[in-house]
Amino acid sequence: MTGPRAAEEVAPGTLLNAASIDSLLDQTLDGEPIRGLLVGQQERMIREFGWAMLLTPAQPVNVTTGALELTEKHRGEARLDAQKRLTNYTTGVPFPDLDLADPDAGYKLVYNILRFGWAGDVLNLKQITFLIISGENGLEKEQGWVYRRFLMSGRMSEPHVLDKSIAKYEALMNVYPNDTRGVGLLTVNYTDARLPDVYAYIKNLRRTRRMSSGAWADPVQGTDLLFDDTFGLNLDPTWYESWKILGKRHALVVEHSILPPMDEQASGKAKYPFMRLDEAPYWNFQPDNYEIQEVYEVEGIPKKDHLVGRRHMFIGTTVGAPKIYWQDHYDRKGEHWRTGGGGSKDAKWDDGRTGPTGTSAVIVDVQRLHATAAGYSSGVHQNPPGAKAADYAPEALPRMLE
């Protein structure tokens, strides 16, 4: 008698898409059944909405130059107080030794993502192009945006803390077309977890105005994003009702992207070689390399005044590289509303460090059949020399439109 036949290993570069998924689910990648590697709504996005993956053997996750050394130097210093606020923190990964049995592990993981400069003390994306896409009619608009983030504490560079009271400045501002130019917000996030100061530029008055602090999670006009979606997450963990790590598992993720950058010399759709803009539903990227990495499965529950009812996220477990590989959002009825996906690769930053750089990002509203997507361009700057907090603070909002 013979035993059960071993599952077949897929060849590197095998395309997983709607046409091939049924034949591939019981095959293996790096010895693991593919069926068990699809997370969240990935299978639905493949079967119903044209998502595609190139299956490739896993490679090690690299960590930003200097991140682990800083983490080791400050290991064990950071704490959560009774209100789950981060205290006694200087720099490095605040909580490198997460224990899934710890009821606060979810909060600690989110602090690891948001409060340390593993993705850059300073980000200046000027400008990035958002592609506004209808799943029925294709590309609707090309929008130019400026995204800026400046960490005031938790910095990799010295001094590691510039202001003990401020966590960061973060801004997303539209610069074209003219009908939306000036739309956007700048938030000042504080280390004591109070709601942020929120500022907007009033185009007709040519003035910066302070807005309600509740605007931190408002929709970004003309897109499919909320302001707390920028760069994956823009919030303080305490602004949500709860964060829980549901477990660890293996998942198919983009860690070593092969997507091409924006072709800034081309015109029309040819500028976006990373997208499949001629193939419905028009918001999908060209097939990228998906490999197996270990992830935390995380649930974030916003408070009742938030548009999202539940965030279901898959975040890398590598210390110093807590990348949000995939996330699904559910509405207040518990129904699948939005999916966010994208990828990154290692790159040399402006200051000479090596660290992750995003190559693709998309938010898909599956209920409206609509999406906002972006890729990599030459306007991406991480830790640019000479960056000053004054150029990222509220008074700098008008200059961001220049």
Side-chain angles (χ1 to χ4, degrees):
M1 296 180 65
T2 59
R5 190 174 65 180
E8 182 180 350
E9 179 81 1
V10 298
T14 294
L15 180 65
L16 174 61
N17 62 10
S20 66
I21 186 169
D22 286 324
S23 66
L24 293 176
L25 283 178
D26 293 321
Q27 295 189 39
T28 62
L29 176 66
D30 288 345
E32 298 194 39
I34 291 167
R35 184 185 301 276
L37 298 170
L38 295 173
V39 297
Q41 295 288 345
Q42 283 184 333
E43 184 168 345
R44 183 187 184 197
M45 298 305 289
I46 293 168
R47 290 187 182 278
E48 298 181 29
F49 298 111
W51 207 279
M53 303 176 174
L54 290 176
L55 303 178
T56 187
Q59 301 178 54
V61 176
N62 294 317
V63 178
T64 303
T65 306
L68 296 180
E69 291 81 356
L70 284 173
T71 297
E72 192 58 36
K73 181 178 179 180
H74 295 276
R75 181 183 292 272
E77 295 178 354
R79 298 284 187 272
L80 292 189
D81 68 11
Q83 287 76 46
K84 304 189 191 304
R85 296 176 299 189
L86 180 64
T87 63
N88 201 42
Y89 173 63
T90 302
T91 190
V93 178
F95 304 104
D97 305 306
L98 290 176
D99 179 357
L100 270 61
D102 179 355
D104 291 332
Y107 286 88
K108 292 177 178 179
L109 175 58
V110 178
Y111 280 120
N112 287 351
I113 297 169
L114 294 175
R115 292 293 297 275
F116 178 45
W118 64 273
D121 296 339
V122 183
L123 296 173
N124 189 356
L125 281 54
K126 57 171 193 180
Q127 57 197 12
I128 52 174
T129 300
F130 284 179
L131 303 178
I132 312 302
I133 299 167
S134 163
E136 296 176 336
N137 302 314
L139 181 62
E140 294 178 333
K141 287 184 178 180
E142 302 164 66
Q143 296 181 346
W145 292 79
V146 169
Y147 172 82
R148 291 188 179 186
R149 189 186 76 175
F150 193 101
L151 295 186
M152 297 294 286
S153 59
R155 297 167 57 84
M156 295 193 66
S157 306
E158 293 186 0
H160 300 306
V161 177
L162 295 174
D163 188 320
K164 291 183 178 180
S165 68
I166 299 176
K168 65 176 177 176
Y169 298 117
E170 184 159 333
L172 182 67
M173 291 288 294
N174 181 275
V175 292
Y176 77 80
N178 282 332
D179 63 333
T180 52
R181 179 177 170 82
V183 167
L185 291 180
L186 183 149
T187 58
V188 183
N189 289 19
Y190 292 94
T191 55
D192 63 4
R194 77 185 88 159
L195 285 176
D197 292 341
V198 180
Y199 297 87
Y201 180 71
I202 310 302
K203 183 169 60 174
N204 5 345
L205 300 178
R206 297 185 179 180
R207 289 183 180 176
T208 299
R209 288 281 178 89
R210 186 168 173 179
M211 310 295 284
S212 164
S213 290
W216 66 272
D218 281 356
V220 181
Q221 183 178 333
T223 78
D224 300 278
L225 283 72
L226 305 180
F227 277 104
D228 69 339
D229 292 326
T230 55
F231 212 69
L233 279 178
N234 177 23
L235 46 79
D236 186 278
T238 62
W239 301 344
Y240 270 41
E241 197 67 46
S242 65
W243 292 95
K244 295 179 181 178
I245 298 180
L246 304 178
K248 285 184 184 181
R249 60 175 296 169
H250 283 174
L252 290 172
V253 305
V254 180
E255 173 62 34
H256 299 91
S257 176
I258 59 170
L259 289 186
M262 179 177 172
D263 185 346
E264 295 166 60
Q265 305 304 313
S267 59
K269 294 178 182 178
K271 289 191 291 186
Y272 312 111
F274 49 87
M275 297 293 299
R276 289 150 56 197
L277 290 171
D278 290 321
E279 180 184 339
Y282 311 107
W283 59 58
N284 287 308
F285 298 109
Q286 297 291 346
D288 205 350
N289 279 350
Y290 279 74
E291 63 188 82
I292 299 172
Q293 294 293 346
E294 186 180 62
V295 298
Y296 293 112
E297 183 175 0
V298 178
E299 179 184 76
I301 305 296
K303 295 184 178 179
K304 291 183 179 180
D305 57 351
H306 200 290
L307 293 172
V308 173
R310 180 170 74 100
R311 282 182 182 259
H312 190 201
M313 309 173 73
F314 298 88
I315 299 167
T317 63
T318 300
V319 174
K323 300 175 186 178
I324 303 172
Y325 289 120
W326 186 274
Q327 57 180 316
D328 300 306
H329 301 168
Y330 295 82
D331 64 19
R332 284 288 163 187
K333 298 178 182 178
E335 297 174 353
H336 181 205
W337 174 23
R338 303 189 305 162
T339 282
S344 66
K345 64 180 180 181
D346 297 322
K348 191 172 184 179
W349 294 356
D350 297 54
D351 65 351
R353 297 180 192 269
T354 298
T357 291
T359 59
S360 60
V362 66
I363 289 285
V364 177
D365 184 332
V366 298
Q367 296 183 5
R368 291 198 308 129
L369 294 180
H370 207 266
T372 299
Y376 179 82
S377 73
S378 63
V380 175
H381 297 281
Q382 291 165 277
N383 289 1
K388 299 176 182 177
D391 293 327
Y392 295 74
E395 58 269 23
L397 267 177
R399 298 199 299 274
M400 295 183 192
L401 296 175
E402 296 174 358

PDB file of all heavy atoms in Angstrom, residues 35-66:
ATOM      1  N   ARG A  35      -3.362  27.056   0.552  1.00  0.00           N
ATOM      2  CA  ARG A  35      -4.689  27.308   1.120  1.00  0.00           C
ATOM      3  C   ARG A  35      -4.597  27.986   2.497  1.00  0.00           C
ATOM      4  O   ARG A  35      -5.392  28.863   2.834  1.00  0.00           O
ATOM      5  CB  ARG A  35      -5.452  25.996   1.246  1.00  0.00           C
ATOM      6  CG  ARG A  35      -6.891  26.139   1.738  1.00  0.00           C
ATOM      7  CD  ARG A  35      -7.529  24.779   1.942  1.00  0.00           C
ATOM      8  NE  ARG A  35      -7.550  23.990   0.710  1.00  0.00           N
ATOM      9  CZ  ARG A  35      -8.487  24.101  -0.235  1.00  0.00           C
ATOM     10  NH1 ARG A  35      -9.474  24.970  -0.081  1.00  0.00           N
ATOM     11  NH2 ARG A  35      -8.432  23.330  -1.308  1.00  0.00           N
ATOM     12  N   GLY A  36      -3.614  27.580   3.285  1.00  0.00           N
ATOM     13  CA  GLY A  36      -3.482  28.115   4.632  1.00  0.00           C
ATOM     14  C   GLY A  36      -2.697  29.410   4.720  1.00  0.00           C
ATOM     15  O   GLY A  36      -2.502  29.929   5.821  1.00  0.00           O
ATOM     16  N   LEU A  37      -2.251  29.938   3.582  1.00  0.00           N
ATOM     17  CA  LEU A  37      -1.437  31.151   3.576  1.00  0.00           C
ATOM     18  C   LEU A  37      -2.219  32.397   3.189  1.00  0.00           C
ATOM     19  O   LEU A  37      -1.715  33.516   3.325  1.00  0.00           O
ATOM     20  CB  LEU A  37      -0.250  30.984   2.618  1.00  0.00           C
ATOM     21  CG  LEU A  37       0.736  29.865   2.979  1.00  0.00           C
ATOM     22  CD1 LEU A  37       1.717  29.641   1.835  1.00  0.00           C
ATOM     23  CD2 LEU A  37       1.478  30.204   4.267  1.00  0.00           C
ATOM     24  N   LEU A  38      -3.433  32.198   2.666  1.00  0.00           N
ATOM     25  CA  LEU A  38      -4.260  33.340   2.284  1.00  0.00           C
ATOM     26  C   LEU A  38      -4.964  33.874   3.532  1.00  0.00           C
ATOM     27  O   LEU A  38      -5.592  33.119   4.270  1.00  0.00           O
ATOM     28  CB  LEU A  38      -5.272  32.934   1.225  1.00  0.00           C
ATOM     29  CG  LEU A  38      -4.672  32.518  -0.120  1.00  0.00           C
ATOM     30  CD1 LEU A  38      -5.750  31.982  -1.044  1.00  0.00           C
ATOM     31  CD2 LEU A  38      -3.938  33.690  -0.782  1.00  0.00           C
ATOM     32  N   VAL A  39      -4.860  35.172   3.768  1.00  0.00           N
ATOM     33  CA  VAL A  39      -5.377  35.767   4.996  1.00  0.00           C
ATOM     34  C   VAL A  39      -6.466  36.782   4.683  1.00  0.00           C
ATOM     35  O   VAL A  39      -6.548  37.319   3.580  1.00  0.00           O
ATOM     36  CB  VAL A  39      -4.250  36.441   5.806  1.00  0.00           C
ATOM     37  CG1 VAL A  39      -3.217  35.413   6.242  1.00  0.00           C
ATOM     38  CG2 VAL A  39      -3.588  37.554   5.001  1.00  0.00           C
ATOM     39  N   GLY A  40      -7.284  37.049   5.703  1.00  0.00           N
ATOM     40  CA  GLY A  40      -8.306  38.073   5.558  1.00  0.00           C
ATOM     41  C   GLY A  40      -9.153  37.850   4.322  1.00  0.00           C
ATOM     42  O   GLY A  40      -9.633  36.737   4.063  1.00  0.00           O
ATOM     43  N   GLN A  41      -9.329  38.898   3.551  1.00  0.00           N
ATOM     44  CA  GLN A  41     -10.145  38.856   2.339  1.00  0.00           C
ATOM     45  C   GLN A  41      -9.309  38.620   1.079  1.00  0.00           C
ATOM     46  O   GLN A  41      -9.763  38.897  -0.030  1.00  0.00           O
ATOM     47  CB  GLN A  41     -10.926  40.172   2.203  1.00  0.00           C
ATOM     48  CG  GLN A  41     -11.952  40.401   3.299  1.00  0.00           C
ATOM     49  CD  GLN A  41     -13.164  39.485   3.187  1.00  0.00           C
ATOM     50  OE1 GLN A  41     -13.396  38.864   2.151  1.00  0.00           O
ATOM     51  NE2 GLN A  41     -13.951  39.405   4.252  1.00  0.00           N
ATOM     52  N   GLN A  42      -8.093  38.078   1.216  1.00  0.00           N
ATOM     53  CA  GLN A  42      -7.256  37.869   0.034  1.00  0.00           C
ATOM     54  C   GLN A  42      -7.920  36.952  -0.990  1.00  0.00           C
ATOM     55  O   GLN A  42      -7.900  37.226  -2.193  1.00  0.00           O
ATOM     56  CB  GLN A  42      -5.890  37.301   0.445  1.00  0.00           C
ATOM     57  CG  GLN A  42      -4.946  38.334   1.018  1.00  0.00           C
ATOM     58  CD  GLN A  42      -3.574  37.771   1.328  1.00  0.00           C
ATOM     59  OE1 GLN A  42      -3.419  36.571   1.592  1.00  0.00           O
ATOM     60  NE2 GLN A  42      -2.566  38.626   1.325  1.00  0.00           N
ATOM     61  N   GLU A  43      -8.502  35.848  -0.518  1.00  0.00           N
ATOM     62  CA  GLU A  43      -9.114  34.927  -1.475  1.00  0.00           C
ATOM     63  C   GLU A  43     -10.267  35.606  -2.213  1.00  0.00           C
ATOM     64  O   GLU A  43     -10.419  35.429  -3.420  1.00  0.00           O
ATOM     65  CB  GLU A  43      -9.598  33.654  -0.776  1.00  0.00           C
ATOM     66  CG  GLU A  43     -10.161  32.631  -1.761  1.00  0.00           C
ATOM     67  CD  GLU A  43     -10.393  31.260  -1.155  1.00  0.00           C
ATOM     68  OE1 GLU A  43      -9.871  30.985  -0.050  1.00  0.00           O
ATOM     69  OE2 GLU A  43     -11.089  30.446  -1.805  1.00  0.00           O
ATOM     70  N   ARG A  44     -11.063  36.375  -1.503  1.00  0.00           N
ATOM     71  CA  ARG A  44     -12.150  37.084  -2.181  1.00  0.00           C
ATOM     72  C   ARG A  44     -11.607  38.076  -3.207  1.00  0.00           C
ATOM     73  O   ARG A  44     -12.145  38.191  -4.318  1.00  0.00           O
ATOM     74  CB  ARG A  44     -13.017  37.840  -1.163  1.00  0.00           C
ATOM     75  CG  ARG A  44     -14.198  38.534  -1.841  1.00  0.00           C
ATOM     76  CD  ARG A  44     -15.005  39.428  -0.934  1.00  0.00           C
ATOM     77  NE  ARG A  44     -16.157  39.944  -1.663  1.00  0.00           N
ATOM     78  CZ  ARG A  44     -16.876  40.981  -1.288  1.00  0.00           C
ATOM     79  NH1 ARG A  44     -16.585  41.638  -0.169  1.00  0.00           N
ATOM     80  NH2 ARG A  44     -17.900  41.390  -2.014  1.00  0.00           N
ATOM     81  N   MET A  45     -10.568  38.810  -2.843  1.00  0.00           N
ATOM     82  CA  MET A  45     -10.005  39.800  -3.776  1.00  0.00           C
ATOM     83  C   MET A  45      -9.446  39.120  -5.017  1.00  0.00           C
ATOM     84  O   MET A  45      -9.495  39.684  -6.121  1.00  0.00           O
ATOM     85  CB  MET A  45      -8.927  40.628  -3.076  1.00  0.00           C
ATOM     86  CG  MET A  45      -9.426  41.444  -1.879  1.00  0.00           C
ATOM     87  SD  MET A  45     -10.806  42.553  -2.241  1.00  0.00           S
ATOM     88  CE  MET A  45      -9.988  43.799  -3.249  1.00  0.00           C
ATOM     89  N   ILE A  46      -8.904  37.913  -4.873  1.00  0.00           N
ATOM     90  CA  ILE A  46      -8.403  37.162  -6.027  1.00  0.00           C
ATOM     91  C   ILE A  46      -9.565  36.663  -6.886  1.00  0.00           C
ATOM     92  O   ILE A  46      -9.596  36.873  -8.109  1.00  0.00           O
ATOM     93  CB  ILE A  46      -7.527  35.986  -5.566  1.00  0.00           C
ATOM     94  CG1 ILE A  46      -6.243  36.496  -4.903  1.00  0.00           C
ATOM     95  CG2 ILE A  46      -7.193  35.060  -6.739  1.00  0.00           C
ATOM     96  CD1 ILE A  46      -5.454  35.420  -4.174  1.00  0.00           C
ATOM     97  N   ARG A  47     -10.527  36.018  -6.264  1.00  0.00           N
ATOM     98  CA  ARG A  47     -11.622  35.387  -7.030  1.00  0.00           C
ATOM     99  C   ARG A  47     -12.562  36.406  -7.665  1.00  0.00           C
ATOM    100  O   ARG A  47     -12.970  36.242  -8.820  1.00  0.00           O
ATOM    101  CB  ARG A  47     -12.425  34.468  -6.108  1.00  0.00           C
ATOM    102  CG  ARG A  47     -11.702  33.209  -5.673  1.00  0.00           C
ATOM    103  CD  ARG A  47     -12.639  32.294  -4.901  1.00  0.00           C
ATOM    104  NE  ARG A  47     -11.986  31.097  -4.411  1.00  0.00           N
ATOM    105  CZ  ARG A  47     -11.777  29.997  -5.142  1.00  0.00           C
ATOM    106  NH1 ARG A  47     -12.174  29.961  -6.411  1.00  0.00           N
ATOM    107  NH2 ARG A  47     -11.185  28.942  -4.613  1.00  0.00           N
ATOM    108  N   GLU A  48     -12.891  37.460  -6.934  1.00  0.00           N
ATOM    109  CA  GLU A  48     -13.924  38.380  -7.408  1.00  0.00           C
ATOM    110  C   GLU A  48     -13.398  39.667  -8.026  1.00  0.00           C
ATOM    111  O   GLU A  48     -14.086  40.281  -8.840  1.00  0.00           O
ATOM    112  CB  GLU A  48     -14.866  38.748  -6.254  1.00  0.00           C
ATOM    113  CG  GLU A  48     -15.613  37.568  -5.660  1.00  0.00           C
ATOM    114  CD  GLU A  48     -16.557  37.997  -4.542  1.00  0.00           C
ATOM    115  OE1 GLU A  48     -17.049  39.147  -4.577  1.00  0.00           O
ATOM    116  OE2 GLU A  48     -16.788  37.172  -3.626  1.00  0.00           O
ATOM    117  N   PHE A  49     -12.186  40.070  -7.647  1.00  0.00           N
ATOM    118  CA  PHE A  49     -11.725  41.405  -8.032  1.00  0.00           C
ATOM    119  C   PHE A  49     -10.361  41.424  -8.726  1.00  0.00           C
ATOM    120  O   PHE A  49      -9.745  42.481  -8.840  1.00  0.00           O
ATOM    121  CB  PHE A  49     -11.700  42.317  -6.802  1.00  0.00           C
ATOM    122  CG  PHE A  49     -13.055  42.515  -6.175  1.00  0.00           C
ATOM    123  CD1 PHE A  49     -13.334  41.982  -4.929  1.00  0.00           C
ATOM    124  CD2 PHE A  49     -14.051  43.219  -6.834  1.00  0.00           C
ATOM    125  CE1 PHE A  49     -14.572  42.163  -4.332  1.00  0.00           C
ATOM    126  CE2 PHE A  49     -15.306  43.402  -6.259  1.00  0.00           C
ATOM    127  CZ  PHE A  49     -15.565  42.870  -5.002  1.00  0.00           C
ATOM    128  N   GLY A  50      -9.881  40.279  -9.185  1.00  0.00           N
ATOM    129  CA  GLY A  50      -8.727  40.276 -10.077  1.00  0.00           C
ATOM    130  C   GLY A  50      -7.363  40.418  -9.451  1.00  0.00           C
ATOM    131  O   GLY A  50      -6.371  40.601 -10.168  1.00  0.00           O
ATOM    132  N   TRP A  51      -7.272  40.333  -8.111  1.00  0.00           N
ATOM    133  CA  TRP A  51      -5.947  40.418  -7.465  1.00  0.00           C
ATOM    134  C   TRP A  51      -5.084  39.263  -7.969  1.00  0.00           C
ATOM    135  O   TRP A  51      -5.575  38.158  -8.196  1.00  0.00           O
ATOM    136  CB  TRP A  51      -6.106  40.323  -5.956  1.00  0.00           C
ATOM    137  CG  TRP A  51      -5.008  40.997  -5.181  1.00  0.00           C
ATOM    138  CD1 TRP A  51      -3.776  40.486  -4.899  1.00  0.00           C
ATOM    139  CD2 TRP A  51      -5.057  42.291  -4.585  1.00  0.00           C
ATOM    140  NE1 TRP A  51      -3.049  41.379  -4.152  1.00  0.00           N
ATOM    141  CE2 TRP A  51      -3.806  42.505  -3.944  1.00  0.00           C
ATOM    142  CE3 TRP A  51      -6.022  43.302  -4.516  1.00  0.00           C
ATOM    143  CZ2 TRP A  51      -3.511  43.676  -3.247  1.00  0.00           C
ATOM    144  CZ3 TRP A  51      -5.728  44.465  -3.827  1.00  0.00           C
ATOM    145  CH2 TRP A  51      -4.490  44.643  -3.203  1.00  0.00           C
ATOM    146  N   ALA A  52      -3.797  39.500  -8.136  1.00  0.00           N
ATOM    147  CA  ALA A  52      -2.884  38.466  -8.637  1.00  0.00           C
ATOM    148  C   ALA A  52      -1.585  38.490  -7.851  1.00  0.00           C
ATOM    149  O   ALA A  52      -1.120  39.552  -7.418  1.00  0.00           O
ATOM    150  CB  ALA A  52      -2.602  38.676 -10.119  1.00  0.00           C
ATOM    151  N   MET A  53      -0.989  37.305  -7.669  1.00  0.00           N
ATOM    152  CA  MET A  53       0.237  37.156  -6.902  1.00  0.00           C
ATOM    153  C   MET A  53       1.217  36.269  -7.650  1.00  0.00           C
ATOM    154  O   MET A  53       0.832  35.225  -8.182  1.00  0.00           O
ATOM    155  CB  MET A  53      -0.049  36.500  -5.544  1.00  0.00           C
ATOM    156  CG  MET A  53      -1.059  37.198  -4.667  1.00  0.00           C
ATOM    157  SD  MET A  53      -1.358  36.202  -3.157  1.00  0.00           S
ATOM    158  CE  MET A  53      -2.415  37.320  -2.220  1.00  0.00           C
ATOM    159  N   LEU A  54       2.481  36.676  -7.680  1.00  0.00           N
ATOM    160  CA  LEU A  54       3.558  35.805  -8.154  1.00  0.00           C
ATOM    161  C   LEU A  54       4.152  35.104  -6.938  1.00  0.00           C
ATOM    162  O   LEU A  54       4.702  35.767  -6.041  1.00  0.00           O
ATOM    163  CB  LEU A  54       4.636  36.616  -8.869  1.00  0.00           C
ATOM    164  CG  LEU A  54       4.267  37.212 -10.225  1.00  0.00           C
ATOM    165  CD1 LEU A  54       5.415  38.079 -10.749  1.00  0.00           C
ATOM    166  CD2 LEU A  54       3.932  36.114 -11.232  1.00  0.00           C
ATOM    167  N   LEU A  55       4.024  33.796  -6.876  1.00  0.00           N
ATOM    168  CA  LEU A  55       4.494  33.044  -5.716  1.00  0.00           C
ATOM    169  C   LEU A  55       5.996  32.837  -5.807  1.00  0.00           C
ATOM    170  O   LEU A  55       6.509  32.335  -6.815  1.00  0.00           O
ATOM    171  CB  LEU A  55       3.766  31.701  -5.637  1.00  0.00           C
ATOM    172  CG  LEU A  55       2.231  31.807  -5.571  1.00  0.00           C
ATOM    173  CD1 LEU A  55       1.604  30.422  -5.535  1.00  0.00           C
ATOM    174  CD2 LEU A  55       1.791  32.626  -4.360  1.00  0.00           C
ATOM    175  N   THR A  56       6.699  33.222  -4.752  1.00  0.00           N
ATOM    176  CA  THR A  56       8.157  33.198  -4.797  1.00  0.00           C
ATOM    177  C   THR A  56       8.711  32.750  -3.451  1.00  0.00           C
ATOM    178  O   THR A  56       8.080  32.973  -2.407  1.00  0.00           O
ATOM    179  CB  THR A  56       8.701  34.607  -5.156  1.00  0.00           C
ATOM    180  OG1 THR A  56      10.104  34.555  -5.362  1.00  0.00           O
ATOM    181  CG2 THR A  56       8.391  35.605  -4.064  1.00  0.00           C
ATOM    182  N   PRO A  57       9.850  32.078  -3.418  1.00  0.00           N
ATOM    183  CA  PRO A  57      10.433  31.644  -2.137  1.00  0.00           C
ATOM    184  C   PRO A  57      10.734  32.828  -1.225  1.00  0.00           C
ATOM    185  O   PRO A  57      11.085  33.918  -1.679  1.00  0.00           O
ATOM    186  CB  PRO A  57      11.719  30.920  -2.564  1.00  0.00           C
ATOM    187  CG  PRO A  57      11.471  30.501  -3.974  1.00  0.00           C
ATOM    188  CD  PRO A  57      10.625  31.583  -4.575  1.00  0.00           C
ATOM    189  N   ALA A  58      10.614  32.606   0.066  1.00  0.00           N
ATOM    190  CA  ALA A  58      10.819  33.671   1.051  1.00  0.00           C
ATOM    191  C   ALA A  58      12.290  34.056   1.142  1.00  0.00           C
ATOM    192  O   ALA A  58      13.191  33.235   0.972  1.00  0.00           O
ATOM    193  CB  ALA A  58      10.310  33.231   2.413  1.00  0.00           C
ATOM    194  N   GLN A  59      12.510  35.336   1.418  1.00  0.00           N
ATOM    195  CA  GLN A  59      13.835  35.867   1.721  1.00  0.00           C
ATOM    196  C   GLN A  59      13.780  36.537   3.093  1.00  0.00           C
ATOM    197  O   GLN A  59      12.710  36.897   3.571  1.00  0.00           O
ATOM    198  CB  GLN A  59      14.244  36.903   0.666  1.00  0.00           C
ATOM    199  CG  GLN A  59      14.289  36.389  -0.761  1.00  0.00           C
ATOM    200  CD  GLN A  59      14.651  37.506  -1.727  1.00  0.00           C
ATOM    201  OE1 GLN A  59      15.668  38.179  -1.569  1.00  0.00           O
ATOM    202  NE2 GLN A  59      13.802  37.721  -2.721  1.00  0.00           N
ATOM    203  N   PRO A  60      14.938  36.724   3.727  1.00  0.00           N
ATOM    204  CA  PRO A  60      14.923  37.376   5.048  1.00  0.00           C
ATOM    205  C   PRO A  60      14.383  38.799   4.970  1.00  0.00           C
ATOM    206  O   PRO A  60      14.553  39.492   3.964  1.00  0.00           O
ATOM    207  CB  PRO A  60      16.403  37.372   5.452  1.00  0.00           C
ATOM    208  CG  PRO A  60      17.020  36.278   4.646  1.00  0.00           C
ATOM    209  CD  PRO A  60      16.282  36.264   3.337  1.00  0.00           C
ATOM    210  N   VAL A  61      13.732  39.223   6.051  1.00  0.00           N
ATOM    211  CA  VAL A  61      13.279  40.602   6.184  1.00  0.00           C
ATOM    212  C   VAL A  61      14.439  41.425   6.732  1.00  0.00           C
ATOM    213  O   VAL A  61      14.978  41.126   7.800  1.00  0.00           O
ATOM    214  CB  VAL A  61      12.072  40.703   7.138  1.00  0.00           C
ATOM    215  CG1 VAL A  61      11.669  42.163   7.350  1.00  0.00           C
ATOM    216  CG2 VAL A  61      10.900  39.887   6.602  1.00  0.00           C
ATOM    217  N   ASN A  62      14.837  42.443   5.991  1.00  0.00           N
ATOM    218  CA  ASN A  62      15.900  43.316   6.460  1.00  0.00           C
ATOM    219  C   ASN A  62      15.320  44.430   7.334  1.00  0.00           C
ATOM    220  O   ASN A  62      14.189  44.868   7.122  1.00  0.00           O
ATOM    221  CB  ASN A  62      16.663  43.907   5.274  1.00  0.00           C
ATOM    222  CG  ASN A  62      17.417  42.844   4.503  1.00  0.00           C
ATOM    223  OD1 ASN A  62      18.035  41.972   5.093  1.00  0.00           O
ATOM    224  ND2 ASN A  62      17.344  42.899   3.175  1.00  0.00           N
ATOM    225  N   VAL A  63      16.098  44.892   8.280  1.00  0.00           N
ATOM    226  CA  VAL A  63      15.668  45.920   9.221  1.00  0.00           C
ATOM    227  C   VAL A  63      16.495  47.172   8.978  1.00  0.00           C
ATOM    228  O   VAL A  63      17.683  47.095   8.643  1.00  0.00           O
ATOM    229  CB  VAL A  63      15.835  45.424  10.679  1.00  0.00           C
ATOM    230  CG1 VAL A  63      15.443  46.500  11.684  1.00  0.00           C
ATOM    231  CG2 VAL A  63      14.999  44.166  10.897  1.00  0.00           C
ATOM    232  N   THR A  64      15.874  48.331   9.136  1.00  0.00           N
ATOM    233  CA  THR A  64      16.535  49.608   8.893  1.00  0.00           C
ATOM    234  C   THR A  64      17.858  49.707   9.645  1.00  0.00           C
ATOM    235  O   THR A  64      17.961  49.339  10.826  1.00  0.00           O
ATOM    236  CB  THR A  64      15.611  50.758   9.329  1.00  0.00           C
ATOM    237  OG1 THR A  64      14.373  50.652   8.622  1.00  0.00           O
ATOM    238  CG2 THR A  64      16.241  52.103   9.045  1.00  0.00           C
ATOM    239  N   THR A  65      18.862  50.215   8.956  1.00  0.00           N
ATOM    240  CA  THR A  65      20.198  50.379   9.535  1.00  0.00           C
ATOM    241  C   THR A  65      20.131  51.095  10.887  1.00  0.00           C
ATOM    242  O   THR A  65      19.597  52.202  10.984  1.00  0.00           O
ATOM    243  CB  THR A  65      21.083  51.196   8.577  1.00  0.00           C
ATOM    244  OG1 THR A  65      21.077  50.590   7.281  1.00  0.00           O
ATOM    245  CG2 THR A  65      22.507  51.274   9.105  1.00  0.00           C
ATOM    246  N   GLY A  66      20.655  50.459  11.915  1.00  0.00           N
ATOM    247  CA  GLY A  66      20.738  51.068  13.240  1.00  0.00           C
ATOM    248  C   GLY A  66      19.543  50.834  14.140  1.00  0.00           C
ATOM    249  O   GLY A  66      19.604  51.134  15.345  1.00  0.00           O
TER     250      GLY A  66
END
